[in-house]
Amino acid sequence: MKPVLIIRTGRAPDSIRARHGDFPHWFRLGANLSPERVRIIDVEAGETLPAASEVAGALITGSAAMITERAPWSERTAGWIRDAMDLELPMFGVCYGHQLMSHALGGRVDYLPGGREIGTLPIKLLDAAKQDPLAADLPSEFRAHTTHEQSVLEVPKGAAVLASSERDPHHLLRYGANAVSVQFHPEFNADVMRAYIHRKRDAMDREGFDPHHTFRQVAATPLARRLMRQFSRHHGLAKG
């Protein structure tokens, strides 16, 4: 059986990682993957990705890096994504992974106008989601955890925009039959979201955001998490 890749594009901050774990663990749980099925490749550390034909699917994590830095490891991964799209490999990108997929396929990524988006926020489905195999069962609005400074400002040609927030119109994109990405974080739980807000509180103060209000608004996001699990199940990647 082919492995499922978790493409690691970064790692959680030390303080969060020590208490809550790190991206690969959160992704494995969120997608309901068996440990023996998962293969983790740390592209930020220079590890080489296997050929897309050798894996059953790929989940692409978040990162503290910025797409606009055009780091060599990131651009190499973008090339891999293009090859994987040619094979119609199931792919699910999150945050940096979402931006990287869009960048790889011809979209434009840069800083989100108005500054960072952070906290548990309402995400609204768009009309295009009504016929989507993953999004169609979601309600018209659901909550999701967010923390990002950059965003997809222009989507790739042919991509379908399925959901948005008040400030980011491109929170959920579909690029083809088997490839989707989300700007929000379905792999986060409420404790992880609170930890990110606590860590960013000084920057939020400087930027005119209220970290205390944002902290109080944190809540569980089971529907956002379900989207990742449904992707895994839909493509035969999940256990059981």
Side-chain angles (χ1 to χ4, degrees):
M1 185 177 291
K2 293 180 179 179
V4 179
L5 279 187
I6 295 179
I7 300 176
R8 180 177 187 155
T9 64
R11 60 194 63 237
D14 291 346
S15 59
I16 295 175
R17 194 164 68 246
R19 184 166 184 179
H20 301 287
D22 206 353
F23 299 147
H25 177 66
W26 303 340
F27 271 67
R28 186 182 67 76
L29 293 181
N32 195 31
L33 300 174
S34 301
E36 60 272 11
R37 187 85 196 273
V38 169
R39 182 177 177 189
I40 301 165
I41 300 294
D42 190 340
V43 290
E44 188 189 35
E47 293 181 2
T48 301
L49 287 161
S53 61
E54 297 176 2
V55 301
L59 309 177
I60 309 171
T61 76
S63 177
M66 297 294 174
I67 294 290
T68 53
E69 295 169 350
R70 302 290 191 268
W73 64 263
S74 184
E75 294 299 290
R76 285 194 297 271
T77 307
W80 187 93
I81 289 169
R82 289 189 288 271
D83 291 342
M85 283 294 296
D86 289 341
L87 297 179
E88 297 188 335
L89 184 76
M91 286 187 286
F92 190 102
V94 173
C95 198
Y96 190 92
H98 161 77
Q99 297 165 17
L100 185 59
M101 287 178 69
S102 283
H103 165 67
L105 300 175
R108 183 170 71 89
V109 175
D110 212 323
Y111 285 91
L112 180 66
R116 76 178 70 239
E117 188 176 53
I118 186 168
T120 306
L121 301 176
I123 304 295
K124 295 183 178 181
L125 287 189
L126 305 178
D127 288 343
K130 294 177 181 177
Q131 305 301 320
D132 189 82
L134 293 182
D137 290 338
L138 289 170
S140 60
E141 184 173 300
F142 61 96
R143 292 180 299 195
H145 301 310
T146 70
T147 176
H148 63 112
E149 295 180 61
Q150 294 199 335
S151 186
V152 177
L153 301 188
E154 295 176 12
V155 303
K157 184 178 179 180
V161 183
L162 304 181
S164 64
S165 70
E166 182 178 349
R167 292 187 49 230
D168 188 335
H170 306 136
H171 258 280
L172 172 57
L173 301 179
R174 177 173 288 281
Y175 308 95
N178 299 329
V180 296
S181 68
V182 293
Q183 180 58 64
F184 58 83
H185 285 274
E187 81 283 13
F188 279 15
N189 62 29
D191 287 338
V192 169
M193 185 72 260
R194 292 187 187 98
Y196 269 90
I197 295 167
H198 180 74
R199 185 174 181 274
K200 296 290 187 180
R201 65 192 185 281
D202 291 340
M204 293 173 70
D205 272 329
R206 289 194 303 272
E207 296 165 6
F209 299 107
D210 183 351
H212 303 291
H213 174 75
T214 304
F215 192 92
R216 289 193 299 269
Q217 295 298 114
V218 173
T221 60
L223 295 176
R225 191 175 188 88
R226 191 176 79 186
L227 188 70
M228 177 180 266
R229 191 155 296 194
Q230 285 180 322
F231 171 85
S232 185
R233 185 182 301 118
H234 180 76
H235 293 288
L237 310 178
K239 61 183 180 181

